[in-house]
Amino acid sequence: MSDDRRCLSAMHWPRGSGKLLRNGSMVVWRLLMEAKLITVLLFALVLLPGPSAALDVTPTVTPGAAPDRPPTTKSGAADRKVSAAATQQPATEPANRPKICLVLSGGGARGAAHVGVLKVLEQMHVPVDCITGTSMGSIVGAAYASGTSVAEMEAVLPTFNFEHLFKERPPRDEQSVRLKLDEHSILGAAEIGVQDGSLRLPMGLASGVQLESALRQLAKAKGYRNFDRLPIPYRAVATDLVTGKPVVFRSGELANVMRASMSVPVAIAPVIINGKLLVDGGLTDNTPIAAARAMGADIIIAVNLGTPLMKREQIDSLLGVSGQMINILTEQNVRASLATLGPNDILIEPELGDFSAADFDNMEKTVPIGAAAAQKMSKPLARLAIPADDYAALRRKQSVVIPPDLRPVDEIRFTKLQWVNPAVELELMDTRPGQPLDQAVLDRDMLRLYGTGDFEHVNYRIVEESDKRVLEVDAPENAWGKDYARFGLGLTSDFQGDAYFNALVSYRKTWLNSLGAEWRNDFQVGHNSFFNSEFYQPLDVKQTYFVAPHLDYARRVLDVFQGNQRIAIYDMRYARVALDLGRAFTYSGELRVGLLRGILDPRLDTGEPDLVPTDQTIQEGAFTARLFFDQLDHANFARSGWDGLATVFGSRTALGADVDYTKWMLNANAAFSYGDNIFNFGLRFGGHIGSDLLPDYDQIQWGGFLQQSGFRTGALLGETLSFGRFVYYHKLSGSNLIKGLYGGFSLEAGEVGNPLVAGSPTGLLSSGSVFLAVDTPLGPAYLAYGHASDGNNSLYFMLGRL
């Protein structure tokens, strides 16, 4: 054996005497829409009424309640009612002229064209006395009917992008520490319910919590309303998923009703109102002309956004054929409604071409298209115009905003909770009894509650009881119960013969007691395999302090290199039990201290026979400490913030270990950005505390992409580590499926002190890389080239957390 290996033939893994070896968007929405189309096809063939079927005009008031009052319920002996807040303004009725009703059809992101139509109607002084709408038409209609001006809608449209409407996790700085820790693994974001041994999917890819929060910005009439008493009388249409009939809303909470009207099946979970399971109204009445007639309209201005048929080359699969069939059926339903228009009615059809119903990132681009379509109908519209002074007076009345009732509440109450402790959930809310209500704070509270993963959706309402005012949080727990599964996948290749994968399954049982105890089991197979089981027990309702016993079994591969050449592979098998005590710092970090006992079984997998460890079992006993902080705005491609992780492993013979030593590691990152340019700085340090050196089986292993790029992964083994890096990312593009495509480079410098294998690189090492990176639903993906100053080069492909 060569003399330049440092005592490898004496490979004792024991008791301190010698050192062992060291250690995009449109694609998603289109798939959703195709799934929706199949659902609608079955709906149409089995349930839907024909074009002549009567509308189920259903007010959202309880039987016996006055039509202009919200529903009432009982709480003990005290009557309570959903607050009607401030005095509702009566709508202005037309005098000595025909009553004109505006009908706005559905169309997803195409529906922003309705704003352009409204803009022209205002310019021409055409009065609007009532509005009906479906799906996106219901949103624009509700905003206008409640007093939102066209200018305000135009200003807010650019902010209504896909992420703003459908990203349902709270901002990362408000996520729990445990969620953040998961993002440092290869686990994917989606969590699936488990019931009776079967996986249970939610009723929609999005719950609508974030969507409803965004809709509240548009609807200026807050709280429960009689829609006849809005500044402009209004109706919205949804579909009863059970009966297959349209439901026309005459009252309710605007944001909740708007969300029900546009709850696209599969994409957005249904809404339950008055016991009815409601989805997108476009399934049954996409152009609600009949609802407008029922409101007493003499003349209808209908805006039909159309249902564009796919081209021949797009019909190339079962989904394509099914989708085209549904488009045809939907268009026939719309045409049946349009056939009821009379000679004095006006039809406006914006020429939206191939503009997608899913292109929420560019909605404002359809506004001028809607305006152009309305201008083409200027002659018939001009006959409906009224004098400028009369129109100005009408619009002043219709623009009166009903002030929200922001009086403090006396109590915050969760309804119908079976296993979730409301006292724990109240601690997550910033809204407090006795303080004035703040709409923005309430919306953040709802998003934070939904982000816990315990609820199907989260909503709220104000209830007036005889002696107090109550904020009721409507948060139904997940129908499948409180067990969840998540999956993850990691892949890596260096294009030099090494290609690895890891597959991870995580299973959680939550709310095992009133303080929110959780039992979690993680099982990973692949290049590095492990099984971890932890019982996490909070000690108070704030969940500030906790105790966490856990056990771990792991098999880790330890590669030993001389330079960039692998000379041995070891199988390192661990079995450990531990007990941690900890403190969570709200959403920012976590501190743990604990005791550990275990055994380590090292085995030579590949290498010369004289590299076989002399001891097959090593005893471990140690105290541990870990301090973790994470204030980054994104786990993988952070634009701002910082994070840090400090760990200490104190092996002690007094605790049953074979060797006394103390190992420490410190990692820190900081990020900031300017436009599409992102700058990331990272530091890594590690070594031993005191005179006891690290044993060979617990050396610091380093090398690989962004960890001294140019060297192969794990090629550096040593006693100490000092490392710093600068990484630059430039965002090239993004979509709903691919959140970001980045190009960038890194500059790195570091030193691995006292390397295990003689002949390994020593001193200051400089390196760098260039890469393409993609933020995918499965995690970050990198294709990179690394170069080190000593001439080492490597190519890398990675999918999953580094």
Side-chain angles (χ1 to χ4, degrees), residues 464-486:
E464 300 285 358
E465 296 185 350
S466 58
D467 58 344
K468 58 186 173 182
R469 177 174 163 86
V470 179
L471 171 64
E472 274 197 353
V473 180
D474 180 22
E477 295 152 325
N478 291 320
W480 53 80
K482 43 190 178 172
D483 296 353
Y484 307 91
R486 288 175 71 182

Side-chain angles (χ1 to χ4, degrees), residues 414-437:
F414 284 77
T415 61
K416 302 177 182 177
L417 294 184
Q418 299 180 47
W419 55 79
V420 175
N421 184 354
V424 173
E425 304 306 309
L426 284 171
E427 293 297 332
L428 297 177
M429 299 180 62
D430 291 331
T431 301
R432 289 288 182 263
Q435 299 178 359
L437 295 179

Side-chain angles (χ1 to χ4, degrees), residues 169 277 691 727:
R169 277 197 169 190
L277 194 63
S691 58
V727 185

Side-chain angles (χ1 to χ4, degrees), residues 658-680:
D658 287 342
V659 181
D660 282 320
Y661 70 95
T662 304
K663 179 181 179 179
W664 68 276
M665 294 292 297
L666 174 65
N667 304 335
N669 293 283
F672 68 93
S673 59
Y674 178 76
D676 288 332
N677 303 292
I678 302 173
F679 310 93
N680 184 286

Side-chain angles (χ1 to χ4, degrees), residues 429-445:
M429 299 180 62
D430 291 331
T431 301
R432 289 288 182 263
Q435 299 178 359
L437 295 179
D438 184 304
Q439 186 67 59
V441 172
L442 266 172
D443 287 340
R444 286 197 302 270
D445 286 341

